[in-house]
Each structure stands twice: as structure tokens, then as C-alpha cells.
Amino acid sequence: MLGIRVRMNVLFVVLVTLVLLVSGAYSQLKLNHEQEERYSQLRAGIVTRLQISLPSALWDMDKNKVAGIIEAEMLPSEVLSIRVYDASTGLFSGKMRNAAGEIINIPAQGVLPGAVTEAPLVFRGSGDGGGVKALPVGHVQINFSRAQIDASLRDALLRRLGEILFLDLILIAALSLSLRMVFAPLQRLRDALFELANNDTTEIQELTHRSHDEFGEVVEGFNRIQRKVKAVLQQTREAQESAQSARQQAEQAVEDLRQAQDSLLQSERLASLGSLVAGVAHEINTPVGITLTSASVLCDATNEIRQAVTDGPIKKSDILAYLTTAGESSRLIQANAERAAQLIQSFKQIAVDQTSEARRRFQMRQYLDEIITSLGPRLKQSKVAVEVDCPPDMKVDSYPGAFAQVITNLVMNALTHAFGQEQDACISISVSAKDGWVTLHFADNGKGIPAEYIGKVFEPFFTTRRNQGGTGLGLNIVHNLVVKQFGGTISVVSAPGQGACFTLRFLQVAPEQESV
């Protein structure tokens, strides 16, 4: 990039050159006009004089006189040749200028250079009646040259160009000397500024100045700025050290907070699993109790029939009564054992999934039924009906434990916040798949969410049941699992008194999790 000094030199030289060129062009045009006017006057004067002096000499057929007149008119160097033609005989006399500039007789034949001007020659004499009689006696041809005019214009142009070049050189020299007085101190200031910018220490060398002119004042101002910058650098360094220490403390606090949040999230998941264990245990208690009672009745009936066989002949009625008791007991034992096995299997799958991060392929409808079954005791306690609308053949390649956590948290959130004591409570879950994406609508017919809470429901630690043991992490866990682990989105639409609807949209094939 060109420096300011060079650009100023170029600017002034261009401006001065343009002014001189305009002035020179005007002078050149004026000189050209003058030369053309002089040339025209010369041609007109020579033609006029020849038309006055030649007719009488040509009338008298005086060749010496004609030659003298021609030589006199050829004194200007612009005249190359003059030829005089008689009206009857043709070429009467002629002179020309050779290459050496000498005037010689013109040859009889040949084309002469230059612009030709031809004029008639008319002799005016007295007539018989005493009047003036005009008789054409011939004509004259004059060859004029523009070489002198062109040379004069060319010399003037070269002279002006030389003057412009000379003035430009003088201007460049003057500007260089003048700008040196300005830019030398500025270069010192520039070097000092670069040193100030690149120096990492607070040790800054101040500039010395001897002059008391404007640049001396600028240098003094620069030194004052340096002293202030030094103070600011010291303060900045101290502030950076304080900020570094504060940043480390903040990072440690964030790490502690993250660990605390992870602990809370893990506690929330374990609490959910503990609630699931308690509910399933309570639910299994009934079929297990019936099974034990039926087994006890069957055992007593078997002992009685054995004793009857030992004592002697047995009655048919005793055998039929035993068979009836044995059949009913066996049916009850089988039915309740299957019920307990079903509950245990559902609990086992859900519990394993919730305590691991394993990824597998599972059927959505079947797994939703297992989740609802594991939540059956709590749903019965709250008297909430759950309706599931899902294609039976829909398969998902994802994380079933995280999915079970999402559905469980949504159900528990609805049981905690959505329904009152005397309400025909219902939860509907509808699932559909299209173009590799699963859309799940989780809706309830409960109280709805107030407008001021809609934007906060997914925030961590936000809860309206803080005094009743709420942690505010249930929906936050749902949001994090759907967004981060499933690569999807979750939104909620609700109005007071009209229930709430959570819409989950996630990939049917979950994205791979980055290893840490």
C-alpha cells in the first residue's frame, strides 16, 4: 500500500500536470490559430500581389520581369513553387525551391509537392472607346508548404512538455523536502506506537523532543498518553489476574453445580424406580396372597383325602369334593401366578432399562403397555384411565430406558399436577410415524397449565409443589432426554381448565451418542 507521502506527491504532481496541460493545450490551440491565420494571410497576399503585378508583364511577354516578380514572391519559405501560364502558349515561366532551399527554374513536366493555389491573371487596359478593357492573359499556380507551420507547432509542443516535466521535477523535489519535515516526526511517533502496541511489559521509553513547535507539542501529548497507557496496562493486568481467579472459581462452582445436578437427576431416576418398586410390590401382593391361600386350601384338602384313604374305604362324595377343591385351587394358583409373573416381567424389563443406557430395538406399542402396567398401582390409586393409540407393528431403534423415563415422568407429572380429587381423569397417548420421525402426543383432561408457567415448565428446579416435595426436575429430565439423547423436540400446549398436551417428535432410529 502506498504511503501518505507518496500519495501526496502523486496528487500534487497530477494536479499541477493537469493545470499545465490545460494551459499548454490552450496556448497550443492559440498558436495553431495564429499560425493558420498568418498562413492564410500569406497565401492571400502572394496571390493578390501576383494578380496585380503579373498581368502587365505577361501581356508584354517580358520573361525577365515575370521571373523577377516570381523570385521576389518566393522569398517566404512557405512558397515552394510559382508557375505562370500564358493563355495561348502554356507554361510561360516558373520557379521552384529545391531540397537545399535554392530557387531554380521549374522543369516543364512533373508534379510539385505542397498545396496548390490557382488564380486567374487578367490584364486591364484602355479600350477603343476610352473605357477599361479586361483581357484574360493566363493563370498562375502557387505551391505552398505547411512544413514550417507544423515544425513550429511541434517545437512549441515539445517545449511545453519539457516545461511541464521540469516543473514536475521541481515540485517533487520541493514536496519531498517539505514533507520530510512533517513525516520524519510522524515516523518516530509511528515507531513508538508500534513498540507500545507490541510491548508486553509496562516499561515504555518516552520520546525526546527538542523543538517547541506543533510537533513538539504532539510528542509531549504522546508521552502523556504513554504514561496513562502504562497505568491502564497495570490496572488491566491486575484486573485480568482477578478475572482469571474469578473464572477459575466460577468454573469450579459450575463443575460442583453440574455434579450436584447429576446427583439430583440420578436421585430423581432412582426415586422414580423406587416408587415403581413400591407400586409393583403392592400390586404383586394380591396375586401372591391368593396363590398362597389357594395352595394352603389345596394342601389341607390333600391331607384330608390322604387321611381318609388311610383310615379305610373312601366315599365317592369325598373324592368329588376333593377334585372340586383341587380344580378351583389349581385354577386360582395358575391365574394369579401368571398375573404375578406378568407384573414381575414388566417390572424387570422396565427396571433393567431404567438402570442402564443400553440401546436396542423394541416394539413401541408393547413397550408402552409394559410401562403402563408397571405404573398400574399408582394409576389405580389415583383412579386415572390411560388410553394408548399406537400401531402394533411400529418398531423403534432407540434407548428404552430413557423412553420409559420420559413416559413415567410425564405420567407422574400429570398425576401430581393435572387432576383434582373428584375428576373423571384420563390420559391419552397417541403415536404415529412418518418419514423416519415418531410423533407422540401425551394429553390429559386435567386442570391445564397457567399461561405464566408455560414457558417455564421445562426449566430445571421449577415446580409449583416445592412445599410438597417437588424437585422441579421431572419435565427437565424429559426435555433433556428428548432433545439430547433422542435428537428430537418437545413442546406443550395448554389452557386453564382444558388440560395439557405434550408433543414429542424424535427420530425412529436414535442418533449415536458420542463417547466421553
Short mmCIF file of all heavy atoms in Angstrom, two decimals, residues 305-363:
data_model
loop_
_atom_site.label_atom_id
_atom_site.label_comp_id
_atom_site.label_asym_id
_atom_site.label_seq_id
_atom_site.Cartn_x
_atom_site.Cartn_y
_atom_site.Cartn_z
N ILE A 305 -57.92 -85.96 52.28
CA ILE A 305 -58.22 -87.12 51.45
C ILE A 305 -57.21 -88.23 51.68
O ILE A 305 -57.53 -89.44 51.60
CB ILE A 305 -58.27 -86.71 49.95
CG1 ILE A 305 -59.00 -87.80 49.16
CG2 ILE A 305 -56.91 -86.46 49.38
CD1 ILE A 305 -60.45 -87.95 49.50
N ARG A 306 -55.95 -87.87 51.99
CA ARG A 306 -54.94 -88.89 52.31
C ARG A 306 -55.32 -89.62 53.60
O ARG A 306 -55.19 -90.84 53.70
CB ARG A 306 -53.57 -88.23 52.44
CG ARG A 306 -52.45 -89.27 52.76
CD ARG A 306 -51.09 -88.63 52.95
NE ARG A 306 -50.63 -88.00 51.73
CZ ARG A 306 -50.52 -86.68 51.55
NH1 ARG A 306 -50.86 -85.86 52.53
NH2 ARG A 306 -50.09 -86.18 50.39
N GLN A 307 -55.81 -88.84 54.59
CA GLN A 307 -56.19 -89.45 55.86
C GLN A 307 -57.39 -90.37 55.67
O GLN A 307 -57.46 -91.48 56.26
CB GLN A 307 -56.53 -88.36 56.89
CG GLN A 307 -56.83 -88.90 58.27
CD GLN A 307 -55.65 -89.61 58.91
OE1 GLN A 307 -54.50 -89.17 58.75
NE2 GLN A 307 -55.89 -90.73 59.62
N ALA A 308 -58.30 -89.92 54.80
CA ALA A 308 -59.49 -90.76 54.55
C ALA A 308 -59.10 -92.06 53.86
O ALA A 308 -59.65 -93.14 54.15
CB ALA A 308 -60.48 -89.99 53.69
N VAL A 309 -58.14 -92.02 52.95
CA VAL A 309 -57.68 -93.23 52.27
C VAL A 309 -56.99 -94.15 53.26
O VAL A 309 -57.13 -95.36 53.23
CB VAL A 309 -56.74 -92.86 51.10
CG1 VAL A 309 -56.07 -94.10 50.54
CG2 VAL A 309 -57.51 -92.12 50.00
N THR A 310 -56.26 -93.57 54.22
CA THR A 310 -55.53 -94.38 55.21
C THR A 310 -56.50 -95.06 56.18
O THR A 310 -56.29 -96.22 56.59
CB THR A 310 -54.54 -93.50 56.00
OG1 THR A 310 -53.65 -92.88 55.07
CG2 THR A 310 -53.74 -94.32 57.00
N ASP A 311 -57.57 -94.36 56.55
CA ASP A 311 -58.50 -94.89 57.55
C ASP A 311 -59.34 -96.04 56.99
O ASP A 311 -59.88 -96.84 57.75
CB ASP A 311 -59.42 -93.79 58.05
CG ASP A 311 -58.63 -92.77 58.87
OD1 ASP A 311 -57.51 -93.10 59.32
OD2 ASP A 311 -59.12 -91.61 59.03
N GLY A 312 -59.51 -96.15 55.73
CA GLY A 312 -60.31 -97.26 55.20
C GLY A 312 -61.00 -96.87 53.93
O GLY A 312 -60.51 -95.99 53.19
N PRO A 313 -62.12 -97.48 53.66
CA PRO A 313 -62.85 -97.18 52.43
C PRO A 313 -63.19 -95.69 52.35
O PRO A 313 -63.55 -95.07 53.35
CB PRO A 313 -64.11 -98.04 52.53
CG PRO A 313 -63.75 -99.12 53.50
CD PRO A 313 -62.83 -98.51 54.48
N ILE A 314 -63.06 -95.12 51.13
CA ILE A 314 -63.34 -93.70 50.91
C ILE A 314 -64.61 -93.57 50.09
O ILE A 314 -64.88 -94.37 49.20
CB ILE A 314 -62.15 -93.02 50.22
CG1 ILE A 314 -62.38 -91.52 50.17
CG2 ILE A 314 -61.87 -93.61 48.83
CD1 ILE A 314 -61.17 -90.75 49.65
N LYS A 315 -65.33 -92.53 50.43
CA LYS A 315 -66.58 -92.28 49.74
C LYS A 315 -66.33 -91.54 48.42
O LYS A 315 -65.38 -90.77 48.28
CB LYS A 315 -67.53 -91.47 50.61
CG LYS A 315 -67.92 -92.17 51.90
CD LYS A 315 -68.84 -91.26 52.71
CE LYS A 315 -69.22 -91.92 54.04
NZ LYS A 315 -70.11 -91.04 54.83
N LYS A 316 -67.26 -91.83 47.51
CA LYS A 316 -67.19 -91.12 46.23
C LYS A 316 -67.39 -89.64 46.41
O LYS A 316 -66.75 -88.80 45.74
CB LYS A 316 -68.24 -91.71 45.28
CG LYS A 316 -68.24 -91.08 43.91
CD LYS A 316 -69.29 -91.72 43.01
CE LYS A 316 -69.30 -91.06 41.64
NZ LYS A 316 -70.30 -91.66 40.73
N SER A 317 -68.27 -89.27 47.30
CA SER A 317 -68.55 -87.84 47.53
C SER A 317 -67.31 -87.13 48.05
O SER A 317 -67.04 -85.97 47.70
CB SER A 317 -69.71 -87.70 48.52
OG SER A 317 -69.39 -88.34 49.76
N ASP A 318 -66.49 -87.83 48.89
CA ASP A 318 -65.26 -87.20 49.38
C ASP A 318 -64.27 -86.96 48.24
O ASP A 318 -63.60 -85.91 48.17
CB ASP A 318 -64.63 -88.08 50.45
CG ASP A 318 -65.49 -88.20 51.72
OD1 ASP A 318 -66.28 -87.25 51.93
OD2 ASP A 318 -65.33 -89.16 52.46
N ILE A 319 -64.21 -87.97 47.32
CA ILE A 319 -63.29 -87.80 46.19
C ILE A 319 -63.74 -86.66 45.29
O ILE A 319 -62.94 -85.82 44.81
CB ILE A 319 -63.19 -89.11 45.41
CG1 ILE A 319 -62.54 -90.20 46.29
CG2 ILE A 319 -62.39 -88.92 44.11
CD1 ILE A 319 -62.51 -91.56 45.63
N LEU A 320 -65.05 -86.57 45.00
CA LEU A 320 -65.58 -85.49 44.15
C LEU A 320 -65.35 -84.12 44.80
O LEU A 320 -65.00 -83.14 44.12
CB LEU A 320 -67.06 -85.72 43.88
CG LEU A 320 -67.39 -86.95 43.00
CD1 LEU A 320 -68.92 -87.12 42.89
CD2 LEU A 320 -66.77 -86.80 41.63
N ALA A 321 -65.55 -84.04 46.14
CA ALA A 321 -65.33 -82.75 46.84
C ALA A 321 -63.87 -82.34 46.74
O ALA A 321 -63.52 -81.16 46.53
CB ALA A 321 -65.77 -82.87 48.29
N TYR A 322 -62.98 -83.37 46.89
CA TYR A 322 -61.54 -83.06 46.79
C TYR A 322 -61.17 -82.57 45.39
O TYR A 322 -60.40 -81.62 45.22
CB TYR A 322 -60.73 -84.30 47.16
CG TYR A 322 -59.25 -84.13 46.88
CD1 TYR A 322 -58.46 -83.33 47.71
CD2 TYR A 322 -58.67 -84.73 45.77
CE1 TYR A 322 -57.12 -83.17 47.43
CE2 TYR A 322 -57.33 -84.56 45.49
CZ TYR A 322 -56.53 -83.76 46.33
OH TYR A 322 -55.21 -83.58 46.06
N LEU A 323 -61.73 -83.24 44.37
CA LEU A 323 -61.44 -82.84 42.99
C LEU A 323 -61.92 -81.42 42.71
O LEU A 323 -61.25 -80.63 42.02
CB LEU A 323 -62.07 -83.83 42.01
CG LEU A 323 -61.45 -85.24 42.00
CD1 LEU A 323 -62.23 -86.15 41.04
CD2 LEU A 323 -59.98 -85.17 41.61
N THR A 324 -63.09 -81.10 43.26
CA THR A 324 -63.60 -79.74 43.07
C THR A 324 -62.68 -78.72 43.72
O THR A 324 -62.32 -77.69 43.14
CB THR A 324 -65.01 -79.62 43.66
OG1 THR A 324 -65.87 -80.56 43.00
CG2 THR A 324 -65.56 -78.23 43.47
N THR A 325 -62.27 -79.02 44.96
CA THR A 325 -61.37 -78.09 45.67
C THR A 325 -60.03 -77.99 44.96
O THR A 325 -59.46 -76.90 44.80
CB THR A 325 -61.17 -78.57 47.11
OG1 THR A 325 -62.45 -78.63 47.78
CG2 THR A 325 -60.25 -77.64 47.86
N ALA A 326 -59.53 -79.15 44.52
CA ALA A 326 -58.23 -79.14 43.84
C ALA A 326 -58.28 -78.38 42.53
O ALA A 326 -57.37 -77.61 42.17
CB ALA A 326 -57.77 -80.57 43.59
N GLY A 327 -59.39 -78.58 41.78
CA GLY A 327 -59.50 -77.87 40.50
C GLY A 327 -59.58 -76.36 40.68
O GLY A 327 -58.92 -75.58 39.96
N GLU A 328 -60.42 -75.90 41.65
CA GLU A 328 -60.55 -74.45 41.87
C GLU A 328 -59.26 -73.87 42.39
O GLU A 328 -58.82 -72.78 41.95
CB GLU A 328 -61.70 -74.22 42.87
CG GLU A 328 -62.00 -72.75 43.14
CD GLU A 328 -62.50 -72.01 41.91
OE1 GLU A 328 -63.00 -72.68 40.97
OE2 GLU A 328 -62.38 -70.76 41.87
N SER A 329 -58.60 -74.59 43.31
CA SER A 329 -57.34 -74.09 43.85
C SER A 329 -56.27 -74.01 42.76
O SER A 329 -55.50 -73.03 42.67
CB SER A 329 -56.87 -74.97 45.00
OG SER A 329 -57.81 -74.95 46.06
N SER A 330 -56.21 -75.04 41.92
CA SER A 330 -55.21 -75.04 40.84
C SER A 330 -55.46 -73.87 39.87
O SER A 330 -54.53 -73.21 39.40
CB SER A 330 -55.26 -76.36 40.08
OG SER A 330 -54.93 -77.42 40.95
N ARG A 331 -56.75 -73.62 39.56
CA ARG A 331 -57.07 -72.52 38.65
C ARG A 331 -56.63 -71.19 39.24
O ARG A 331 -56.03 -70.33 38.56
CB ARG A 331 -58.57 -72.51 38.35
CG ARG A 331 -58.98 -71.49 37.30
CD ARG A 331 -60.48 -71.46 37.15
NE ARG A 331 -61.13 -71.05 38.39
CZ ARG A 331 -61.22 -69.76 38.78
NH1 ARG A 331 -60.71 -68.79 38.05
NH2 ARG A 331 -61.84 -69.46 39.92
N LEU A 332 -56.96 -71.00 40.54
CA LEU A 332 -56.58 -69.74 41.20
C LEU A 332 -55.06 -69.59 41.27
O LEU A 332 -54.51 -68.51 41.06
CB LEU A 332 -57.20 -69.68 42.59
CG LEU A 332 -58.72 -69.49 42.65
CD1 LEU A 332 -59.21 -69.57 44.10
CD2 LEU A 332 -59.11 -68.15 42.04
N ILE A 333 -54.40 -70.70 41.60
CA ILE A 333 -52.93 -70.64 41.69
C ILE A 333 -52.32 -70.30 40.34
O ILE A 333 -51.43 -69.44 40.22
CB ILE A 333 -52.39 -71.99 42.21
CG1 ILE A 333 -52.75 -72.16 43.69
CG2 ILE A 333 -50.87 -72.05 42.03
CD1 ILE A 333 -52.41 -73.53 44.23
N GLN A 334 -52.81 -70.93 39.26
CA GLN A 334 -52.25 -70.69 37.93
C GLN A 334 -52.52 -69.25 37.47
O GLN A 334 -51.64 -68.58 36.96
CB GLN A 334 -52.84 -71.69 36.93
CG GLN A 334 -52.26 -71.52 35.52
CD GLN A 334 -52.82 -72.54 34.56
OE1 GLN A 334 -53.69 -73.35 34.93
NE2 GLN A 334 -52.33 -72.52 33.32
N ALA A 335 -53.79 -68.80 37.66
CA ALA A 335 -54.15 -67.46 37.20
C ALA A 335 -53.35 -66.40 37.93
O ALA A 335 -52.80 -65.47 37.32
CB ALA A 335 -55.65 -67.23 37.39
N ASN A 336 -53.25 -66.52 39.24
CA ASN A 336 -52.53 -65.48 40.00
C ASN A 336 -51.02 -65.59 39.82
O ASN A 336 -50.30 -64.59 39.88
CB ASN A 336 -52.91 -65.58 41.48
CG ASN A 336 -54.30 -65.04 41.75
OD1 ASN A 336 -54.51 -63.84 41.93
ND2 ASN A 336 -55.29 -65.93 41.77
N ALA A 337 -50.53 -66.81 39.61
CA ALA A 337 -49.10 -66.95 39.33
C ALA A 337 -48.75 -66.29 38.00
O ALA A 337 -47.71 -65.62 37.86
CB ALA A 337 -48.71 -68.41 39.33
N GLU A 338 -49.63 -66.49 37.00
CA GLU A 338 -49.39 -65.83 35.71
C GLU A 338 -49.46 -64.31 35.85
O GLU A 338 -48.66 -63.59 35.25
CB GLU A 338 -50.42 -66.32 34.69
CG GLU A 338 -50.21 -67.76 34.26
CD GLU A 338 -51.29 -68.24 33.31
OE1 GLU A 338 -52.25 -67.46 33.09
OE2 GLU A 338 -51.18 -69.36 32.79
N ARG A 339 -50.43 -63.84 36.66
CA ARG A 339 -50.54 -62.39 36.88
C ARG A 339 -49.28 -61.86 37.54
O ARG A 339 -48.73 -60.82 37.12
CB ARG A 339 -51.77 -62.10 37.75
CG ARG A 339 -51.90 -60.66 38.22
CD ARG A 339 -52.05 -59.71 37.06
NE ARG A 339 -52.24 -58.35 37.51
CZ ARG A 339 -52.11 -57.28 36.73
NH1 ARG A 339 -51.77 -57.44 35.46
NH2 ARG A 339 -52.32 -56.08 37.22
N ALA A 340 -48.80 -62.55 38.54
CA ALA A 340 -47.57 -62.12 39.23
C ALA A 340 -46.37 -62.18 38.29
O ALA A 340 -45.51 -61.28 38.29
CB ALA A 340 -47.33 -62.99 40.46
N ALA A 341 -46.32 -63.26 37.48
CA ALA A 341 -45.20 -63.38 36.54
C ALA A 341 -45.21 -62.24 35.52
O ALA A 341 -44.17 -61.70 35.15
CB ALA A 341 -45.26 -64.73 35.84
N GLN A 342 -46.44 -61.87 35.06
CA GLN A 342 -46.55 -60.77 34.11
C GLN A 342 -46.06 -59.46 34.73
O GLN A 342 -45.32 -58.70 34.12
CB GLN A 342 -48.00 -60.65 33.63
CG GLN A 342 -48.20 -59.55 32.59
CD GLN A 342 -49.65 -59.44 32.18
OE1 GLN A 342 -50.52 -60.13 32.71
NE2 GLN A 342 -49.91 -58.56 31.23
N LEU A 343 -46.49 -59.21 35.99
CA LEU A 343 -46.06 -57.99 36.67
C LEU A 343 -44.55 -57.99 36.89
O LEU A 343 -43.88 -56.97 36.70
CB LEU A 343 -46.78 -57.86 38.01
CG LEU A 343 -48.28 -57.53 37.93
CD1 LEU A 343 -48.91 -57.61 39.33
CD2 LEU A 343 -48.49 -56.14 37.35
N ILE A 344 -44.04 -59.13 37.28
CA ILE A 344 -42.60 -59.22 37.53
C ILE A 344 -41.81 -59.03 36.24
O ILE A 344 -40.78 -58.34 36.22
CB ILE A 344 -42.26 -60.57 38.19
CG1 ILE A 344 -42.84 -60.61 39.61
CG2 ILE A 344 -40.75 -60.79 38.22
CD1 ILE A 344 -42.73 -61.97 40.26
N GLN A 345 -42.30 -59.61 35.11
CA GLN A 345 -41.60 -59.48 33.85
C GLN A 345 -41.57 -58.01 33.38
O GLN A 345 -40.56 -57.49 32.93
CB GLN A 345 -42.26 -60.37 32.79
CG GLN A 345 -41.60 -60.30 31.41
CD GLN A 345 -40.16 -60.78 31.43
OE1 GLN A 345 -39.82 -61.64 32.24
NE2 GLN A 345 -39.34 -60.22 30.57
N SER A 346 -42.77 -57.35 33.49
CA SER A 346 -42.82 -55.94 33.11
C SER A 346 -41.90 -55.10 33.98
O SER A 346 -41.14 -54.25 33.48
CB SER A 346 -44.26 -55.42 33.21
OG SER A 346 -45.09 -56.13 32.32
N PHE A 347 -41.96 -55.35 35.28
CA PHE A 347 -41.11 -54.59 36.19
C PHE A 347 -39.64 -54.86 35.89
O PHE A 347 -38.81 -53.95 35.91
CB PHE A 347 -41.45 -54.97 37.63
CG PHE A 347 -40.41 -54.51 38.61
CD1 PHE A 347 -40.29 -53.17 38.94
CD2 PHE A 347 -39.54 -55.41 39.19
CE1 PHE A 347 -39.32 -52.74 39.83
CE2 PHE A 347 -38.57 -55.00 40.07
CZ PHE A 347 -38.45 -53.65 40.41
N LYS A 348 -39.32 -56.14 35.63
CA LYS A 348 -37.93 -56.49 35.37
C LYS A 348 -37.39 -55.74 34.14
O LYS A 348 -36.30 -55.17 34.17
CB LYS A 348 -37.82 -57.99 35.15
CG LYS A 348 -36.41 -58.46 34.82
CD LYS A 348 -36.39 -59.96 34.58
CE LYS A 348 -35.00 -60.42 34.18
NZ LYS A 348 -34.95 -61.86 33.90
N GLN A 349 -38.19 -55.73 33.04
CA GLN A 349 -37.72 -55.06 31.82
C GLN A 349 -37.58 -53.56 32.03
O GLN A 349 -36.58 -52.95 31.65
CB GLN A 349 -38.70 -55.34 30.67
CG GLN A 349 -38.23 -54.79 29.33
CD GLN A 349 -36.95 -55.43 28.88
OE1 GLN A 349 -36.89 -56.63 28.65
NE2 GLN A 349 -35.89 -54.64 28.75
N ILE A 350 -38.59 -52.96 32.65
CA ILE A 350 -38.54 -51.51 32.89
C ILE A 350 -37.40 -51.16 33.83
O ILE A 350 -36.67 -50.18 33.62
CB ILE A 350 -39.89 -51.00 33.46
CG1 ILE A 350 -41.01 -51.30 32.46
CG2 ILE A 350 -39.82 -49.50 33.71
CD1 ILE A 350 -40.82 -50.67 31.11
N ALA A 351 -37.23 -51.95 34.90
CA ALA A 351 -36.18 -51.67 35.87
C ALA A 351 -34.80 -51.79 35.23
O ALA A 351 -33.91 -50.96 35.45
CB ALA A 351 -36.30 -52.60 37.06
N VAL A 352 -34.61 -52.85 34.43
CA VAL A 352 -33.31 -53.02 33.75
C VAL A 352 -33.05 -51.86 32.81
O VAL A 352 -31.94 -51.32 32.74
CB VAL A 352 -33.28 -54.37 33.01
CG1 VAL A 352 -32.05 -54.44 32.10
CG2 VAL A 352 -33.26 -55.51 34.01
N ASP A 353 -34.06 -51.46 32.04
CA ASP A 353 -33.88 -50.37 31.08
C ASP A 353 -33.56 -49.06 31.79
O ASP A 353 -32.72 -48.27 31.34
CB ASP A 353 -35.15 -50.22 30.23
CG ASP A 353 -35.27 -51.36 29.21
OD1 ASP A 353 -34.23 -51.96 28.88
OD2 ASP A 353 -36.40 -51.62 28.77
N GLN A 354 -34.23 -48.80 32.92
CA GLN A 354 -34.03 -47.53 33.61
C GLN A 354 -32.69 -47.46 34.32
O GLN A 354 -32.22 -46.38 34.65
CB GLN A 354 -35.17 -47.26 34.60
CG GLN A 354 -36.48 -46.94 33.92
CD GLN A 354 -37.47 -46.29 34.88
OE1 GLN A 354 -37.11 -45.88 35.97
NE2 GLN A 354 -38.73 -46.19 34.46
N THR A 355 -32.08 -48.59 34.60
CA THR A 355 -30.79 -48.56 35.30
C THR A 355 -29.63 -48.77 34.33
O THR A 355 -28.50 -48.95 34.77
CB THR A 355 -30.76 -49.65 36.38
OG1 THR A 355 -31.08 -50.91 35.79
CG2 THR A 355 -31.73 -49.33 37.49
N SER A 356 -29.91 -48.76 33.03
CA SER A 356 -28.83 -48.92 32.05
C SER A 356 -29.09 -47.96 30.90
O SER A 356 -30.19 -47.43 30.74
CB SER A 356 -28.77 -50.36 31.54
OG SER A 356 -29.92 -50.66 30.76
N GLU A 357 -28.07 -47.74 30.10
CA GLU A 357 -28.17 -46.87 28.94
C GLU A 357 -28.10 -47.68 27.66
O GLU A 357 -27.67 -47.17 26.62
CB GLU A 357 -27.04 -45.82 28.96
CG GLU A 357 -27.07 -44.89 30.16
CD GLU A 357 -28.29 -43.99 30.16
OE1 GLU A 357 -28.82 -43.73 29.05
OE2 GLU A 357 -28.73 -43.57 31.23
N ALA A 358 -28.49 -48.97 27.73
CA ALA A 358 -28.38 -49.86 26.57
C ALA A 358 -29.36 -49.42 25.48
O ALA A 358 -30.47 -48.96 25.75
CB ALA A 358 -28.66 -51.29 26.98
N ARG A 359 -28.91 -49.59 24.27
CA ARG A 359 -29.74 -49.27 23.10
C ARG A 359 -30.17 -50.57 22.46
O ARG A 359 -29.37 -51.50 22.29
CB ARG A 359 -28.95 -48.42 22.11
CG ARG A 359 -29.67 -48.19 20.79
CD ARG A 359 -28.87 -47.24 19.93
NE ARG A 359 -29.52 -47.04 18.64
CZ ARG A 359 -29.22 -46.04 17.82
NH1 ARG A 359 -28.27 -45.18 18.15
NH2 ARG A 359 -29.86 -45.92 16.67
N ARG A 360 -31.44 -50.66 22.09
CA ARG A 360 -31.93 -51.87 21.45
C ARG A 360 -33.17 -51.52 20.61
O ARG A 360 -33.70 -50.41 20.69
CB ARG A 360 -32.28 -52.93 22.49
CG ARG A 360 -33.41 -52.59 23.44
CD ARG A 360 -33.61 -53.70 24.46
NE ARG A 360 -34.62 -53.38 25.44
CZ ARG A 360 -35.94 -53.59 25.28
NH1 ARG A 360 -36.38 -54.14 24.14
NH2 ARG A 360 -36.80 -53.28 26.24
N ARG A 361 -33.59 -52.47 19.85
CA ARG A 361 -34.77 -52.32 19.00
C ARG A 361 -35.96 -52.91 19.74
O ARG A 361 -35.90 -54.04 20.22
CB ARG A 361 -34.54 -53.03 17.67
CG ARG A 361 -35.61 -52.81 16.62
CD ARG A 361 -35.19 -53.51 15.32
NE ARG A 361 -36.17 -53.35 14.28
CZ ARG A 361 -36.24 -52.33 13.44
NH1 ARG A 361 -35.34 -51.36 13.54
NH2 ARG A 361 -37.17 -52.26 12.50
N PHE A 362 -37.04 -52.17 19.85
CA PHE A 362 -38.21 -52.66 20.57
C PHE A 362 -39.47 -52.18 19.88
O PHE A 362 -39.47 -51.22 19.09
CB PHE A 362 -38.20 -52.17 22.04
CG PHE A 362 -38.19 -50.67 22.18
CD1 PHE A 362 -39.37 -49.95 22.31
CD2 PHE A 362 -36.98 -49.98 22.21
CE1 PHE A 362 -39.36 -48.58 22.44
CE2 PHE A 362 -36.97 -48.59 22.35
CZ PHE A 362 -38.15 -47.89 22.48
N GLN A 363 -40.60 -52.91 20.19
CA GLN A 363 -41.89 -52.54 19.64
C GLN A 363 -42.52 -51.46 20.53
O GLN A 363 -42.64 -51.62 21.75
CB GLN A 363 -42.81 -53.76 19.57
CG GLN A 363 -42.43 -54.74 18.47
CD GLN A 363 -43.48 -55.81 18.29
OE1 GLN A 363 -44.30 -56.04 19.18
NE2 GLN A 363 -43.46 -56.48 17.14
#
